[in-house]
Amino acid sequence: MTAVAENPLVEGLERLPVHPTALVIFGATGDLAHRKLLPALYNLAHQGALPERFELVGVSRSKYAHEEFQQIARESIERFSRTKPDPAVLDGLLADMRYVPGVFDDAGVYAELDRTLDELDGKAGYPLSRVFYLSTAPQFFPIIVGQLGKAGLNSAGSRETRAVIEKPFGYDLASARKLNADVLEVFDESQVFRIDHYLGKETVQNMMAFRFANALFEPVWNRNYVDHVEITAAEDIGIEGRAGYYEGAGALRDLVQNHMLQLMALLTMEPPTAFEANRLRDEKLKVLEAIVPPRIEDVSAMAVRAQYGPGVHGGVQVRGYRDENGVAPDSRTETYAALRLQISNWRWAGVPFYLRTGKHLARKLTEIAVQLKPVPHLAFQSQGSVGVQPNQIVLTVQPDEGVSISLGAKIPGPRMRIRPVNMEFHYGTSFVSQSPEAYERLILDAMRGDATLFTRNDEIEALWGIIDPILTAWKQDVRTAVAQYPAGSQGPDEADSLLAPGHVWRRL
């Protein structure tokens, strides 16, 4: 298949060449493929970012002919693409799409996949790079990787071969280590791309530009000037019929262990010597290893869990978590988690980092708020002021992407009265182009072999090492009732106990 497009390469996507590639999606009929992966591939084709020779193969349990799968893919792209599909580009993308049906532990599926890929190589006249994208339930990751190894698909001559593995990567530290061992028996670390789609978001990548492309912030980016940091990932929806997944995961595994700790690492790491995969990930790893995991007996003082109860959201009465379909009436799975963490290194020693995430909160918001220490002395009379407040730097990841810096300014008039004002930058008004979806960047980087925005094996284990004692403590504590908060609220009052004197959670 030749990707059809009239547009030139999108700026920022042409750093490394994308070699002719065959992309194999395991779980190609699943929700992630329909909503994210297939639309992302279309938009890459529309932008002219796919290689001239690009082949797509779907593998899943459902029995479809090639033409049936092409039609399913077409409907998914037409429904979920961020841009209105161009018929010519869409036809070019789908024209030669292949489909291999079967269960993931069947060796015959991999023999058929091998035959299909060899056929595509023959059609191209040269060996295509191969990218295997595991978009399946996590229990199938080791099965698929093992079968790829047995079929000899993990390495094929001089061609580049890679495996992209979706989250969650492991269920706890022990399972993450086991999965790493299973994967690295088949693939070399350089071939493995563990995906966290948050790292593909433009606003998350802009954190690095914000920090390292502006000399303005580096002098204050340390314990001498920063009072505390608050990282919030709030959702205004419930579990949306995903009880089967959520009951086994919970908020801590779902968002804190990966997305939120990654945001914390990017915010606090030292400048890498180059924007290159291993150098960047080395700096993130240093931060993660400097976050001392809590002792199990100390977890109650630094972590809070809760569940949403009945409440009102958007003027609509909603039911509590334990009343959701598929949720046990005595469930102890948290829909809200808040943590207080410390980074034990020279730059950040003594600065508290507050993390919170939850379902059915007042509004949807992902942001990082860095509060600086108050000024040591006011040389002027501030009577009648709205209030002299410490400066804040707020990086909003979603939904209103941008950066805001709060300053104290004089209110017009004869008296010296102070009020906070904001200097703001918004992506939507500052750039005329639409931001690409995270999966567009990550799929392209995987085809390039650029692992900068992917998670390395030692990172994965460091992330789980921070969270594992909390999971263990919560599992062992069967007597303490799980706190409740009304749906549509700010969260549980118990989370206030994590805050140092004078600190308050930002309102959602």
Side-chain angles (χ1 to χ4, degrees):
M1 187 281 291
T2 301
V4 180
E6 298 178 356
N7 297 337
L9 285 175
V10 175
E11 184 179 355
L13 296 182
E14 67 278 11
R15 294 173 296 107
L16 294 173
V18 187
H19 298 297
T21 299
L23 175 64
V24 180
I25 300 178
F26 289 90
T29 60
D31 191 62
L32 177 63
H34 284 310
R35 291 177 177 270
K36 297 295 183 180
L37 304 186
L38 292 170
L41 288 169
Y42 165 77
N43 282 294
L44 289 172
H46 180 74
Q47 296 160 0
L50 290 179
E52 182 178 357
R53 173 66 65 178
F54 174 78
E55 305 291 353
L56 183 59
V57 181
V59 181
S60 197
R61 289 175 293 180
S62 304
K63 293 189 178 299
Y64 294 120
H66 300 311
E67 296 76 15
E68 292 176 303
F69 179 61
Q70 291 168 13
Q71 181 57 34
I72 291 170
R74 180 183 298 274
E75 293 170 359
S76 297
I77 292 167
E78 289 174 344
R79 181 178 178 185
F80 296 113
S81 172
R82 66 179 175 85
T83 59
K84 182 176 176 60
D86 180 316
V89 177
L90 188 56
D91 289 346
L93 178 67
L94 302 179
D96 200 28
M97 186 182 293
R98 306 296 183 89
Y99 183 77
V100 177
V103 294
F104 299 134
D105 59 354
D106 181 2
V109 170
Y110 300 85
E112 177 62 19
L113 177 60
D114 191 18
R115 187 196 65 77
T116 299
L117 292 173
D118 284 344
E119 181 183 328
L120 295 174
D121 286 349
K123 182 179 177 182
Y126 47 81
L128 303 173
S129 297
R130 293 175 179 178
V131 176
F132 300 104
Y133 197 121
L134 278 59
S135 172
T136 68
Q139 63 264 31
F140 295 118
F141 294 165
I143 295 172
I144 295 171
V145 167
Q147 290 288 353
L148 288 171
K150 291 177 182 178
L153 290 167
N154 56 323
S155 179
S158 60
R159 70 161 52 86
E160 297 174 344
T161 304
R162 305 182 183 99
V164 180
I165 303 177
E166 266 290 344
K167 62 176 284 283
F169 196 95
Y171 181 77
D172 53 19
L173 180 58
S175 61
R177 284 175 171 164
K178 176 65 166 60
L179 181 55
N180 263 334
D182 290 341
V183 170
L184 296 178
E185 278 188 8
V186 177
F187 292 99
D188 183 78
E189 175 62 31
S190 63
Q191 297 176 281
V192 182
F193 291 70
R194 302 168 188 82
I195 200 165
D196 182 339
H197 73 272
Y198 255 51
L199 297 184
K201 289 180 177 290
E202 286 291 319
T203 44
V204 173
Q205 295 172 58
N206 195 60
M207 287 173 55
M208 290 179 278
F210 173 82
R211 284 198 57 200
F212 305 134
N214 298 288
L216 176 66
F217 302 106
E218 179 59 25
V220 300
W221 216 253
N222 56 63
R223 60 186 173 85
N224 296 323
Y225 293 94
V226 175
D227 185 74
H228 66 276
V229 177
E230 183 181 327
I231 304 177
T232 297
E235 298 182 87
D236 58 359
I237 59 173
I239 58 172
E240 302 292 291
R242 298 168 65 227
Y245 162 75
Y246 207 83
E247 271 287 85
L252 196 66
R253 289 186 177 94
D254 190 42
L255 273 170
V256 178
Q257 182 273 332
N258 38 72
H259 303 332
M260 299 187 74
L261 287 178
Q262 287 282 0
L263 291 179
M264 184 174 170
L266 289 172
L267 183 81
T268 58
M269 70 182 186
E270 297 297 321
T273 55
F275 193 69
E276 181 270 330
N278 278 328
R279 296 185 186 184
L280 182 82
R281 296 188 293 183
D282 285 345
E283 297 302 334
K284 286 198 296 174
L285 181 64
K286 291 176 186 177
V287 171
L288 296 173
E289 290 180 336
I291 302 173
V292 180
R295 297 182 303 173
I296 292 176
E297 57 267 29
D298 295 333
V299 166
S300 60
M302 55 74 62
V304 166
R305 59 174 166 170
Q307 295 174 336
Y308 64 82
V312 178
H313 182 76
V316 178
Q317 185 72 35
V318 297
R319 57 189 172 183
Y321 177 71
R322 292 180 178 179
D323 298 321
E324 299 276 14
N325 294 331
V327 174
D330 59 348
S331 172
R332 299 181 64 83
T333 300
E334 77 283 357
T335 64
Y336 177 100
L339 279 64
R340 183 184 68 247
L341 298 175
Q342 300 272 348
I343 300 176
S344 298
N345 64 13
W346 188 271
R347 182 185 287 264
W348 296 108
V351 178
F353 288 80
Y354 305 118
L355 282 62
R356 62 171 171 169
T357 183
K359 297 280 190 183
H360 260 323
L361 293 172
R363 68 184 176 111
K364 180 181 179 67
L365 177 70
T366 301
E367 70 171 18
I368 301 169
V370 180
Q371 181 162 311
L372 302 186
K373 292 182 178 180
V375 294
H377 172 68
L378 286 176
F380 45 78
Q381 176 58 254
S382 59
Q383 185 176 1
S385 298
V386 173
V388 178
Q389 301 177 4
N391 302 124
Q392 277 194 338
I393 303 170
V394 180
L395 297 89
T396 305
V397 176
Q398 61 182 6
D400 187 18
E401 298 94 339
V403 180
S404 172
I405 303 175
S406 70
L407 305 171
K410 178 184 177 295
I411 301 172
R415 291 188 295 164
M416 180 62 76
R417 295 182 300 159
I418 309 298
R419 60 160 287 185
V421 296
N422 288 332
M423 295 176 59
E424 296 184 331
F425 148 68
H426 295 280
Y427 281 85
T429 55
S430 297
F431 299 109
V432 294
S433 60
Q434 185 181 17
S435 295
E437 287 280 344
Y439 280 100
E440 295 171 32
R441 171 66 185 268
L442 295 173
I443 289 172
L444 200 62
D445 278 359
M447 290 194 292
R448 279 199 188 101
D450 183 351
T452 303
L453 300 177
F454 295 83
T455 309
R456 203 167 58 192
N457 60 338
D458 48 5
E459 272 188 89
I460 286 285
E461 295 184 13
L463 289 164
W464 277 115
I466 297 165
I467 296 301
D468 217 43
I470 305 173
L471 293 170
T472 301
W474 286 354
K475 183 178 180 180
Q476 292 177 356
D477 182 7
V478 296
R479 295 184 178 180
T480 306
V482 178
Q484 302 288 306
Y485 62 96
S489 70
Q490 297 290 314
D493 294 337
E494 288 81 353
D496 294 344
S497 66
L498 302 180
L499 304 177
H503 295 174
V504 295
W505 292 108
R506 287 170 54 84
R507 285 194 64 80
L508 297 173

